[in-house]
Amino acid sequence: MFIERNVSLQPLNSFGIAARAALLARVRGEADARAVLADAEMAALPKFVLGGGSNIVLTGDVKHMVLKVEVPGRRVVGETERHHIVEAGAGETWHDFVTWTLDQGLPGLENLALIPGTVGASPVQNIGAYGVELQDRFHELDAIDLHTGEVFTLDAAQCGFGYRDSVFKHVARQEGDFGLAGRALILRVRFALPKAWQPVLGYLDIERRMAEEGVAVPSARQLYDWIVAIRRAKLPDPAVIGNAGSFFKNPTVTPEQCADIIGRDPKVVHYPMPDGSVKLAAGWLIDACGWRGKRVGNAGVYDKQALVLVNAGGAQAPATGGEVMTLAKAIQTSVYERFGIRLEPEPMVV
Ligand code: EPU
């Protein structure tokens, strides 16, 4: 196990926000986690589990002990009647894992290509893109309880998946509450990839590609290539411009609220949901309020996609977490004043 003191977290969060951790341990497996728990000083500290750092906003130095998850490994572990089961260590880079599954001839994760972050973070926010959510391909995961040192396995129901949400995003205030944030460290995740694979289509961007290239039924590799290209064109590469992907969740409203907004803004982008509610494109709402390209200090709104906030100051003059949150609050206020909708941040604010 590697313990470091007074560590800069700037290279460890995709926003590139400057902050420090008093104590950080690199965890490559359960033995490392158990070694932390066996140490009286470290065991007593509250813990913050850090994956790829691609979905967090650091608003100051981190007082908690940081556990940086670096569990390696990826393998095909078995099969059921309808699925191949593949497993990856929580520290593997998500996109490399997706690429590896396709190289093994096992499609199913291609719509989730190029999502930043690690495998261990993927269930935390139930990552999703182009009609596929992690929960659609999830089998189970192994985690270690940071209070007891016990390793346990959770299935999909126990993970409590929701839209960009899971049990790992909630803090339990007392024993028995829903929430494993700060308590569970995910070690390995297993995925169930369908043997009878079918492409998941239906997204405008993908249908446009199919029409352009005259392809009626794309292969998994073709979908993967398109999605990588679409994301590269639309979303900033965190290696170049710091960001945490979509900064707000797409809000849902009642059909009556939606009709009211359409009455005033006929162009509002909206999608009817199976449960009767209507999902609105947060990016469109923010764009309509004129935020694209605007800045607060060194925090900015990405000029090609208003849903993404960026570190406009780069590594030399990085935005602070405070600037990012000031910008986020100003956006929330203006969207609320114009549309009566409260936008909810998507990344974890630390
Ligand atoms: N739009 C604008 N102006 C903007 C941005 C968007 O008018 O500045 C409009 C677009 O034209 C489009 C609609 O809003 O009609 C939706 O935009 P887009 O498809 O770009 O993004 P999204 O559907 O809001 C979601 C996920 C993304 C995921 C994509 C693709 C959320 C919060 N975001 O974005 O996930 O990649 O769909 O499936 O659900 C992430 O979570 O970090 C993320 C990037």
Side-chain angles (χ1 to χ4, degrees):
M1 185 189 36
F2 303 95
I3 301 282
E4 294 162 46
R5 288 180 193 271
N6 190 23
V7 185
S8 166
L9 296 176
Q10 197 175 0
L12 301 183
N13 75 95
S14 64
F15 238 118
I17 291 170
R20 304 191 83 81
L23 200 58
L24 179 145
R26 295 181 186 269
V27 176
R28 292 182 54 85
E30 40 263 77
D32 289 342
R34 290 214 175 98
V36 168
L37 303 181
D39 179 284
E41 182 211 347
M42 291 193 282
L45 297 171
K47 312 285 187 310
F48 175 69
V49 179
L50 180 62
S54 55
N55 205 45
I56 56 170
V57 184
L58 297 170
T59 54
D61 289 342
V62 177
K63 307 276 181 299
H64 291 20
M65 175 171 191
V66 175
L67 300 178
K68 170 86 173 79
V69 182
E70 297 186 346
V71 182
R74 43 195 193 199
R75 59 197 181 112
V76 179
V77 289
E79 56 183 299
T80 63
E81 197 185 324
R82 290 174 30 220
H83 296 100
H84 296 285
I85 309 296
V86 292
E87 179 184 272
E92 293 287 329
T93 299
W94 173 260
H95 178 67
D96 294 348
F97 172 62
V98 171
T99 308
W100 177 84
T101 57
L102 291 178
D103 291 344
Q104 307 307 302
L106 301 174
L109 297 177
E110 56 285 340
N111 291 45
L112 304 177
L114 214 65
I115 293 183
T118 55
V119 167
S122 65
V124 175
Q125 61 146 353
N126 186 21
I127 57 173
Y130 307 102
V132 176
E133 278 188 324
L134 176 113
Q135 64 177 337
D136 305 327
R137 301 284 182 259
F138 180 84
H139 183 53
E140 54 188 22
L141 60 78
D142 301 331
I144 186 163
D145 184 324
L146 295 172
H147 292 183
T148 64
E150 217 174 288
V151 173
F152 58 98
T153 298
L154 297 182
D155 64 19
Q158 292 167 312
C159 288
F161 291 125
Y163 168 57
R164 296 296 192 275
D165 197 28
S166 74
V167 70
F168 305 103
K169 268 188 144 177
H170 297 260
V171 180
R173 299 286 162 211
Q174 57 190 42
E175 207 61 38
D177 279 1
F178 179 79
L180 288 173
R183 170 107 196 226
L185 182 147
I186 297 168
L187 294 162
R188 288 172 291 273
V189 186
R190 288 181 286 285
F191 300 86
L193 305 181
K195 287 181 178 171
W197 175 83
Q198 297 268 358
V200 177
L201 309 171
Y203 254 68
L204 197 63
D205 284 337
I206 294 175
E207 288 188 342
R208 200 176 290 144
R209 289 276 168 151
M210 288 164 64
E212 275 166 18
E213 301 194 21
V215 175
V217 184
S219 68
R221 182 59 76 163
Q222 223 157 10
L223 263 175
Y224 168 95
D225 288 340
W226 290 344
I227 285 165
V228 166
I230 293 166
R231 292 187 75 94
R232 287 220 166 103
K234 231 182 183 162
L235 298 167
D237 176 356
V240 182
I241 307 172
N243 73 90
S246 300
F247 198 90
F248 297 100
K249 293 183 183 183
N250 286 330
T252 44
V253 296
T254 63
E256 294 73 30
Q257 278 174 296
C258 187
D260 182 50
I261 295 172
I262 292 172
R264 288 177 284 133
D265 286 281
K267 288 202 189 120
V268 62
V269 178
H270 59 286
Y271 316 94
M273 303 300 285
D275 67 359
S277 66
V278 184
K279 189 170 265 190
L280 302 179
W284 187 91
L285 300 172
I286 299 166
D287 195 7
C289 292
W291 281 102
R292 229 197 284 187
K294 292 271 168 63
R295 281 172 75 155
V296 165
N298 286 324
V301 179
Y302 191 51
D303 52 6
K304 291 192 216 136
Q305 161 62 289
L307 192 52
V308 179
L309 302 192
V310 296
N311 180 350
Q316 297 316 312
T320 63
E323 285 170 335
V324 173
M325 293 314 292
T326 303
L327 175 59
K329 291 210 171 81
I331 292 170
Q332 282 170 313
T333 304
S334 73
V335 168
Y336 183 71
E337 282 171 358
R338 171 144 173 207
F339 298 104
I341 290 167
R342 292 188 196 281
L343 291 182
E344 219 186 293
E346 205 241 293
M348 282 208 235
V349 180
V350 183

